[in-house]
Amino acid sequence: MQNNNQKRTAIIGAGMAGLLAAINLKKAHRDFMVFEKADSLGGTWRDNRYPGLTCDVPAHAYTYSFAPYAEWSAYHATGPEIKRYFEKVAEDFEITPSIHFNTEITACHFNETDNSWLLKDSHGESHVFDIVIVASGVLHHPSLPDIKGLNDFQGSWFHSAQWEDGLELDDKNIGVVGCGSSGVQIVTALTSVAKQLIHFQRSPQWIMPVEQFDYSEEEKQAFRDNPKLIDDIRYDKQYWENIYRFNKGIINPDSPEMQMVEDICRDYLEKSIHDPELREKLRPDYRAACKRLVYNWQYYDCVQKPNVTIETSAIDHVTKTGVQLSDGTFHELDILVLATGFHADMFIKPTSVIGRDGLSLDTFWSPRPTAHYAVTLPGFPNMFMLNGPTGPVGNFSLIDIAERQWGYIDQLLNIIHAGDAETIEPKVSAFEDYEKRRIEAAQKTIFGSGCSSWYLDKTGVPMTWPWGYQDFVDAMHQPNMSEYDIQAS
């Protein structure tokens, strides 16, 4: 039997998934190192720090199963709170000393001579590992729109994930482009401080109403004294019924569950917006959940304030002082925020990844990023992905998804660490069968019902897990080893 410490593992990324991997490897007394391109941990909750940033998953459900947290201030937590939570978890499990900050991995190449991975970092240093865990995240490459004259604007302009800290917002004319979750949250937060707020809609979004309330100090103390109260929220029957209903609707657009989701969203719009003209501006022309649903509890109230304007006309160009629309309208602005999303097909890119027989990840991911059950890749031995391509996406906790993926990965790692395998990778035939079935099913989901969204690859196929939530749970319960090529030690 080999000693566990003889196999070295590199973790790329110190966000939610990277911390999860590090904690579990540390518990198993395995040798690992975490590489983080930024100067602090937290991933998307570090990069995004815009006003109004809130997770749309209930706070107690958006925590690691092994690290409950009694200090959440409200039912839905803010971004800064979530970042502090991850920092606390990293401290509690003594992970921080194992993180190499400001160290981006620029190349990750497999060496077939000794079945190792050679990693090169942004400082020019090289590192050799036996196993690579890719926990780079999905939404971390900002997508900037191609708007004529943007660089001519003399006010402040930036992507929502690159917020200018210390920016004075009070009594300013502010424009926000984009109305996904970020755009909606920013508009909601700034209507109370802006002189005028212009929300430039590229396409309106369906909004699912959710509740929000603060936790009292008495409730927090109760959580501290009795962690079971946290579990009661985390495993709340109604919450999980909503998750399963939503998931059933996604995979079967003609189902009663999808009809219920659409009815809730439509009724919320109809009952919340009083002005018929504004209501029609806010009404999407595609089915609910075709794009990622926006969960919110006050956007519709905020956009009816007298200092808010919803613009549906396309932006023609930006001038030194504002935005000119194609219908002739001009809006003078002090600040322009681009809540225009991310390149969701990048994952570990632009890192150069080369696997067996010189296979590049760029080639393997043409025409679309994909992975066997969202975790492993044929031709890339001993490389494992957390929240990788074709995994479940939607309005539920990605921590739960990553924990289930880790259970799957850990079983494969155990084979390597036990000395029963030098390398493990999925068979090409098994992967091709999975991908064929996945594409066929994905095209039938609500994501393929006729709208543009970041869920779609460049050929128009949803980059998603297209089956039921329980199907994913079952798939992650235990790897089907007949689908894997194992090279003995």
Side-chain angles (χ1 to χ4, degrees):
M1 300 287 287
Q2 286 186 320
N3 186 295
N4 286 347
N5 291 328
Q6 291 181 322
K7 295 294 183 181
R8 301 189 69 222
T9 300
I11 302 171
I12 301 176
M16 173 275 290
L19 293 179
L20 171 69
I23 290 166
N24 280 285
L25 290 174
K26 187 178 180 68
K27 287 179 179 178
H29 305 289
R30 290 175 177 162
D31 188 359
F32 69 92
M33 187 180 295
V34 184
F35 296 95
E36 171 53 54
K37 65 182 179 181
D39 60 2
S40 61
L41 59 83
T44 191
W45 302 107
R46 173 202 61 231
D47 295 345
N48 289 276
R49 54 194 185 276
Y50 58 76
L53 175 60
T54 308
C55 184
D56 60 10
V57 175
H60 286 298
Y62 194 74
T63 53
Y64 298 117
S65 60
F66 51 81
Y69 189 57
E71 310 306 319
W72 296 121
S73 65
Y75 185 66
H76 290 92
T78 65
E81 280 188 293
I82 296 171
K83 183 174 184 291
R84 287 196 297 271
Y85 168 73
F86 286 131
E87 290 170 339
K88 181 180 186 302
V89 170
E91 284 186 23
D92 290 348
F93 288 89
E94 299 180 337
I95 299 301
T96 309
S98 299
I99 304 174
H100 290 243
F101 292 107
N102 294 308
T103 306
E104 183 174 8
I105 297 300
T106 58
C108 185
H109 294 179
F110 185 69
N111 185 341
E112 296 181 56
T113 303
D114 61 1
N115 291 317
S116 66
W117 283 96
L118 174 65
L119 277 61
K120 294 185 178 180
D121 66 30
S122 51
H123 305 295
E125 296 185 9
S126 297
H127 314 266
V128 178
F129 291 90
D130 303 287
I131 299 161
V132 175
I133 307 294
V134 178
S136 54
V138 184
L139 306 181
H140 59 109
H141 294 287
S143 176
L144 291 173
D146 183 16
I147 300 177
K148 182 181 176 182
L150 194 55
N151 288 315
D152 296 332
F153 185 57
Q154 294 184 343
S156 295
W157 72 269
F158 44 83
H159 190 274
S160 57
Q162 298 164 332
W163 195 270
E164 287 190 10
D165 297 322
L167 184 66
E168 179 58 51
L169 300 169
D170 289 352
D171 205 33
K172 300 294 185 181
N173 294 322
I174 304 173
V176 178
V177 180
C179 51
S181 291
S182 295
V184 165
Q185 290 181 352
I186 292 168
V187 168
T188 300
L190 297 188
T191 53
S192 60
V193 298
K195 179 179 180 181
Q196 291 291 324
L197 195 146
I198 315 300
H199 195 182
F200 300 101
Q201 278 193 163
R202 298 196 294 178
S203 64
Q205 298 274 68
W206 287 111
I207 295 181
M208 173 66 71
V210 291
E211 60 180 344
Q212 172 71 325
F213 53 84
D214 293 336
Y215 287 120
S216 66
E217 284 304 315
E218 291 77 14
E219 287 173 312
K220 293 179 192 176
Q221 188 60 51
F223 292 142
R224 298 180 196 118
D225 296 339
N226 184 7
K228 183 182 180 300
L229 296 176
I230 294 176
D231 285 343
D232 289 344
I233 298 173
R234 181 180 178 86
Y235 303 109
D236 177 67
K237 180 181 178 182
Q238 183 62 51
Y239 170 72
W240 280 101
E241 283 180 353
N242 291 339
I243 293 294
Y244 281 105
R245 179 186 68 197
F246 183 58
N247 183 247
K248 287 180 180 178
I250 286 173
I251 63 177
N252 184 0
D254 297 325
S255 65
E257 289 82 7
M258 192 69 248
Q259 186 62 56
M260 185 179 298
V261 169
E262 291 189 305
D263 287 345
I264 292 172
C265 294
R266 188 181 301 106
D267 288 348
Y268 185 45
L269 172 64
E270 296 287 350
K271 294 176 180 177
S272 300
I273 303 299
H274 308 302
D275 178 6
E277 183 177 345
L278 177 59
R279 189 186 309 132
E280 293 313 307
K281 283 185 176 182
L282 295 170
R283 188 186 303 279
D285 60 0
Y286 54 86
R287 297 190 63 180
C290 183
K291 297 177 184 284
R292 189 178 191 274
L293 273 182
V294 173
Y295 280 31
N296 197 270
W297 55 91
Q298 54 185 340
Y299 174 74
Y300 283 158
D301 292 332
C302 291
V303 297
Q304 295 180 88
K305 293 181 178 180
N307 66 327
V308 178
T309 300
I310 300 293
E311 282 291 2
T312 57
S313 182
I315 294 176
D316 184 77
H317 65 278
V318 176
T319 72
K320 292 180 179 180
T321 58
V323 170
Q324 179 72 55
L325 301 181
S326 57
D327 68 359
T329 304
F330 179 77
H331 290 285
E332 188 171 318
L333 299 175
D334 302 300
I335 299 167
L336 181 60
V337 182
L338 304 174
T340 48
F342 301 84
H343 295 289
D345 59 350
M346 295 284 284
F347 296 95
I348 191 176
K349 293 181 180 182
T351 301
S352 169
V353 181
I354 306 293
R356 193 186 298 281
D357 297 325
L359 176 63
S360 76
L361 188 63
D362 287 344
T363 299
F364 180 71
W365 277 359
S366 179
R368 63 179 59 84
T370 183
H372 190 53
Y373 287 89
V375 173
T376 54
L377 305 92
F380 298 85
N382 296 358
M383 175 175 279
F384 307 91
M385 302 195 75
L386 286 168
N387 285 324
T390 78
V393 294
N395 300 83
F396 43 72
S397 173
L398 286 181
I399 295 181
D400 178 67
I401 298 300
E403 288 194 355
R404 295 185 188 279
Q405 288 176 325
W406 183 260
Y408 181 99
I409 293 169
D410 197 40
Q411 293 175 68
L412 297 174
L413 294 181
N414 286 338
I415 298 172
I416 299 171
H417 284 286
D420 296 327
E422 183 74 13
T423 63
I424 293 177
E425 62 189 285
K427 296 176 180 177
V428 171
S429 58
F431 163 74
E432 288 179 345
D433 175 69
Y434 163 79
E435 185 66 350
K436 180 181 178 181
R437 291 184 291 109
R438 188 199 68 81
I439 290 174
E440 182 179 352
Q443 290 171 324
K444 298 175 183 177
T445 65
I446 194 68
F447 304 133
S449 64
C451 69
S452 61
S453 78
W454 62 266
Y455 288 155
L456 303 181
D457 66 29
K458 61 184 179 182
T459 72
V461 175
M463 299 184 293
T464 59
W465 176 266
W467 301 291
Y469 197 90
Q470 188 59 47
D471 293 319
F472 172 76
V473 172
D474 294 343
M476 293 296 100
H477 179 68
Q478 185 175 5
N480 181 349
M481 295 312 301
S482 69
E483 298 180 342
Y484 281 88
D485 276 327
I486 296 178
Q487 180 175 319
S489 301

